Amino acid sequence: MATRVLPPALLSLILLPLLLLSARDTVAAGEDFPRDGRVIDLDESNFEAALGAIDFLFVDFYAPWCGHCKRLAPELDEAAPVLAGLSEPIVVAKVNADKYRKLGSKYGVDGFPTLMLFIHGVPIEYTGSRKADQLVRNLKKFVSPDVSILESDSAIKTFVENAGTSFPMFLGFGVNDSLIAEYGRKYKKRAWFAVAKEFSEDIMVAYEFDKVPALVAIHPKYKEQSLFYGPFEENFLEDFVRQSLLPLVVPINTETLKMLNDDQRKVVLTILEDDSDENSTQLVKILRSAANANRDLVFGYVGIKQWDEFVETFDVSKSSQLPKLLVWDRNEEYELVDGSERLEEGDQASQISQFLEGYRAGRTTKKKISGPSFMGFLNSLVSLSSLYILIFVIALLVVMVYFAGQDDTPQPRRIHEE
């Protein structure tokens, strides 16, 4: 029986993909990337190899002329050895995306610096703090388990200490970890999740719960703590988690506005003269009690001294009578409650209760903010590349106008000094 031989052309077509895969693996295996905490340089020749060789790769897409990039560089140098020493090491790298534009374009880089964490080759854009210590805290969150299982009081203490203050945390006591796992995955970027299997009465006292199952939500940064006893079913658990991602009372600034953008609730906004003075501190405590009883609303506060540009969009100025209460839809409209526009001295808790009763009863006057929508402003920031194009077009028009007028412009006579 004759042996059939494949035609050379067909054999080549079959072997080519295998050869390419082999070549790719050889490159990835042959490339030696340092893991000692240095920031490594990548370019179009070795970037894909790095993705194949490094499980967790944090990349700074930068431009040499960018001032923000220059300020970021020493922060990355400081963070890199700490990240390399994690149980799940993160390697820090940088790419000159102004020079290697094709590589930057592939990953949607349109401004500098652009930071991305590649988890097994899958990119996630990083938009958190660029300070070394906070950057480490934030990136640790990405490589941590969705839900940590804690077997002792000391494990609970260590978990809380290591989590830091950048994110809220949810600690389950006597809770089935399978109930928490879904939210640990869903809100991984925004909070820490853990379930304690073993704990003492001292822990119950410290976290102020007296029965199980219990879920404790903690905001270390704001020194706030909330408690949930159930029911651990249907939408009740997720509602508690979702609403507890924000502190009970939110100080309004550019960073927290971004957080509000992920929340669908309306905001009970208290406008103060100075949100850092003693009277404001006492008022925030009263607002916290109101917020705890009205979780379908977000409670926030802002001082005109701290952010007058934002406050003025609600027709409030330094001459206005403050504190002022309103309900904001987080976009272009807000509501004033008839007869409860401002807080007087005295029993402010009762005044806040009356305000909420009036709002829920519909005794309100709707108004439009007087300036641009701040949520819209945050969501539609012009990208750096768009800004460059705009500047280039304007400069081009200026040059064209200049040269167009040269023929008609009389030239001044030059006076030469002897």
Side-chain angles (χ1 to χ4, degrees), residues 7-8 10 30 55 66 74 126 142 168 188 209 230 240 250 304 327 364 396:
L10 183 57
D55 290 340
C66 166
Y126 174 85
F142 286 92
K188 182 180 179 70
F209 66 97
F240 175 77
V250 183
I304 192 168
V327 179
T364 64
L396 183 62

Side-chain angles (χ1 to χ4, degrees), residues 81-320:
V82 182
L83 293 169
L86 297 177
S87 57
E88 291 283 2
I90 300 175
V91 175
V92 180
K94 59 182 179 179
V95 172
N96 183 345
D98 188 47
K99 180 178 181 181
Y100 302 105
R101 296 186 179 185
K102 186 177 179 180
L103 183 56
S105 178
K106 179 178 180 179
Y107 293 103
V109 175
D110 63 354
F112 303 111
T114 293
L115 301 174
M116 289 189 181
L117 176 64
F118 290 82
I119 301 178
H120 301 290
V122 179
I124 300 173
E125 185 169 2
Y126 174 85
T127 58
S129 173
R130 297 173 185 171
K131 293 295 183 182
D133 57 343
Q134 291 299 315
L135 193 146
V136 170
R137 293 272 192 193
N138 293 346
L139 290 179
K140 281 171 64 178
K141 184 75 202 72
F142 286 92
V143 299
S144 66
D146 295 340
V147 179
S148 297
I149 305 301
L150 312 176
E151 303 286 355
S152 65
D153 287 11
S154 61
I156 296 169
K157 182 179 179 181
T158 300
F159 174 83
V160 172
E161 289 177 351
N162 289 341
T165 62
S166 299
F167 295 93
M169 64 185 78
F170 294 87
L171 300 179
F173 298 92
V175 178
N176 189 326
D177 52 279
S178 64
L179 295 175
I180 306 298
E182 176 185 350
Y183 307 111
R185 288 190 297 270
K186 187 172 183 178
Y187 298 109
K188 182 180 179 70
K189 297 179 186 178
R190 300 183 60 190
W192 295 95
F193 290 83
V195 171
K197 296 293 188 181
E198 300 290 338
F199 50 90
S200 67
E201 289 187 4
D202 291 340
I203 289 292
M204 296 179 71
V205 172
Y207 291 100
E208 301 176 355
F209 66 97
D210 55 11
K211 61 181 180 179
V212 294
L215 182 63
V216 181
I218 306 168
H219 274 276
K221 184 176 182 179
Y222 301 100
K223 298 179 180 178
E224 287 186 3
Q225 183 169 303
S226 304
L227 188 59
F228 181 73
Y229 284 121
F232 290 86
E233 57 189 22
E234 297 180 355
N235 296 325
F236 298 106
L237 176 56
E238 181 166 14
D239 284 346
F240 175 77
V241 171
R242 180 170 44 80
Q243 293 169 3
S244 300
L245 290 170
L246 291 171
L248 283 172
V249 183
V250 183
I252 301 297
N253 51 50
T254 54
E255 196 61 36
T256 56
L257 274 186
K258 296 175 185 176
M259 295 165 60
L260 285 175
N261 199 28
D262 295 326
D263 198 300
Q264 300 304 311
R265 293 173 290 170
K266 291 187 176 181
V267 181
V268 176
L269 183 63
T270 302
I271 300 176
L272 310 160
E273 289 184 10
D274 181 353
D275 66 21
S276 62
D277 66 24
E278 185 177 348
N279 290 335
S280 297
T281 302
Q282 294 302 317
L283 178 55
V284 169
K285 292 181 180 179
I286 299 171
L287 290 170
R288 191 170 289 127
S289 298
N292 197 36
N294 296 270
R295 286 185 168 271
D296 59 325
L297 298 166
V298 177
F299 284 68
Y301 66 94
V302 61
I304 192 168
K305 179 179 179 181
Q306 281 73 26
W307 199 2
D308 58 347
E309 185 181 7
F310 174 77
V311 168
E312 287 168 1
T313 63
F314 299 99
D315 294 325
V316 173
S317 66
K318 293 180 180 179
S319 61
S320 300

